[in-house]
Amino acid sequence: MDSSTNIETTHEFPPFFKIYKGGRVERYMTPERAAAGGHLRAPTGLDSETGVQSKDVVVSPDSGVSARLFVPKIDGPDQKFPLVVHYHGGGFCLGSPFMKVFHNFLVSLASEANVVIISVDYRLAPEHALPIAHEDSWAAMQWISAHSNGQGPEPWLNQYADFGRVFVAGESAGANIVHYVAVQAGATGLAGPNIVGSIILHPYFGGKETDKMIDYMYPTSAGFKDPILYPEVDPNLSKMAGKKVLVCVAEKDGLKERGVGYCETLKKSGWNGTVGFFESEEEGHGFFLLNPSSDKVGPLMKVMVDFINQN
């Protein structure tokens, strides 16, 4: 066996992953990610501070896709809460709702907004080439929708989720997936849930130049004509589910202009919903995950809570 297969790399995409000659994938662990607990798995159960309960559920035994469910503190019988379907960030190649960094954020959101959250653990690139992450996420939304009549396989969704008030939310690559799922739901006429709106946090969309890592992870992409990467070329954009969208960006985020551009695209698309916009000053990409003690997290959380709770 050629020993170089384990030491020589064929592709390197810091701070995300590198590929060795033999095909092995190694993910980087940056100091920022490590400090935020990005490599640690959070246990499920009762969060003593907030009263939020969490557990893991299997979405698809065939694909191996699963999800983490969060239910806020319950004050009485027959209590129903708005449902947030969440897709995590991480460049389509990192992350999981089971990781501490995402788990803690979702516990906070479930508590502050008083919502049920289900966060989907879609399969990651490059082992699973894009658009598998999007396909898994859409299949998960269909599985979740099967609970709309209270007869689905997951008791917590049947008992606690109000399918008359459903939101889709995600950050970075997860925000890209949120957009895809919302468009699919509208274009196909997804039965069951009433998707009220989307929360788009620090979104990733295609830029003016090609992204070499995306090209590697998404070999079948149509490039600048791909609606997954470039919403402005999607013929179904005007059919997107929901009546409102909240787009949140950060002042020092290199992807900020893509979030601003997404707002403009929506406004010009013929979609008949309302677009809200919020900018966190002096902060960078995903700061609410990497630096949860920032004094800018509170205002961002309030904007999301208000968006969910306002009619």
Side-chain angles (χ1 to χ4, degrees):
M1 182 178 176
D2 185 355
S3 61
S4 67
T5 59
N6 290 319
I7 58 174
E8 289 185 17
T9 59
T10 58
H11 297 82
E12 297 190 16
F13 300 110
F16 293 99
F17 64 89
K18 53 187 171 182
I19 308 290
Y20 287 90
K21 190 176 177 181
R24 181 169 65 90
V25 178
E26 181 180 321
R27 288 171 169 81
Y28 292 96
M29 178 52 66
T30 64
E32 295 81 8
R33 223 174 276 146
H39 60 306
L40 300 175
R41 185 183 177 100
T44 56
L46 177 66
D47 181 73
S48 58
E49 281 190 32
T50 62
V52 172
Q53 299 180 74
S54 60
K55 71 173 178 178
D56 297 335
V57 296
V58 175
V59 172
S60 170
D62 293 337
S63 67
V65 171
S66 56
R68 182 159 288 191
L69 255 172
F70 302 82
V71 173
K73 187 176 180 180
I74 299 161
D75 294 324
D78 303 321
Q79 198 170 4
K80 295 274 189 180
F81 305 92
L83 174 64
V84 175
V85 180
H86 174 263
Y87 300 102
H88 69 81
F92 305 109
C93 59
L94 298 173
S96 162
F98 312 139
M99 288 183 173
K100 180 181 175 183
V101 63
F102 294 105
H103 175 94
N104 290 352
F105 167 67
L106 295 171
V107 166
S108 295
L109 181 59
S111 176
E112 295 284 337
N114 216 30
V115 292
V116 170
I117 301 174
I118 182 165
S119 184
V120 178
D121 191 38
Y122 54 83
R123 287 175 290 177
L124 300 177
E127 295 91 338
H128 304 280
L130 294 174
I132 286 176
H134 297 76
E135 292 167 354
D136 284 350
S137 298
W138 172 236
M141 179 55 111
Q142 293 171 296
W143 180 85
I144 293 163
S145 299
H147 297 76
S148 298
N149 61 0
Q151 302 296 316
E154 172 45 50
W156 280 13
L157 288 176
N158 293 331
Q159 185 172 355
Y160 300 120
D162 177 2
F163 280 88
R165 288 189 59 78
V166 177
F167 296 83
V168 279
E171 63 284 327
S172 194
N176 177 285
I177 292 174
V178 165
H179 167 78
Y180 173 83
V181 168
V183 171
Q184 286 291 106
T188 63
L190 181 66
N194 174 38
I195 297 176
V196 177
S198 301
I199 299 176
I200 304 285
L201 297 163
H202 304 185
Y204 173 84
F205 291 106
K208 295 177 181 177
E209 298 178 3
T210 58
D211 183 320
K212 290 182 179 179
M213 188 177 84
I214 291 292
D215 287 347
Y216 181 82
M217 297 191 299
Y218 190 3
T220 60
S221 171
F224 294 114
K225 295 181 179 180
D226 195 310
I228 285 178
L229 300 176
Y230 296 92
E232 61 269 26
V233 302
D234 190 345
N236 289 322
L237 179 56
S238 64
K239 300 175 184 176
M240 185 171 71
K243 62 181 183 180
K244 58 181 183 177
V245 169
L246 174 65
V247 180
C248 299
V249 301
E251 182 181 9
K252 295 184 176 180
D253 183 1
L255 296 178
K256 172 188 167 181
E257 292 309 315
R258 302 190 197 183
V260 173
Y262 178 68
C263 286
E264 297 306 313
T265 294
L266 278 184
K267 290 174 182 177
K268 294 185 292 188
S269 68
W271 178 67
N272 60 5
T274 59
V275 182
F277 180 81
F278 180 79
E279 180 174 346
S280 300
E281 297 178 352
E282 298 294 319
E283 288 290 0
H285 190 72
F287 75 91
F288 53 93
L289 297 170
L290 299 173
N291 183 22
S293 62
S294 164
D295 61 4
K296 300 294 172 35
V297 173
L300 175 61
M301 183 67 74
K302 183 179 186 304
V303 167
M304 291 189 287
V305 170
D306 290 346
F307 178 80
I308 290 168
N309 291 328
Q310 289 171 353
N311 291 327

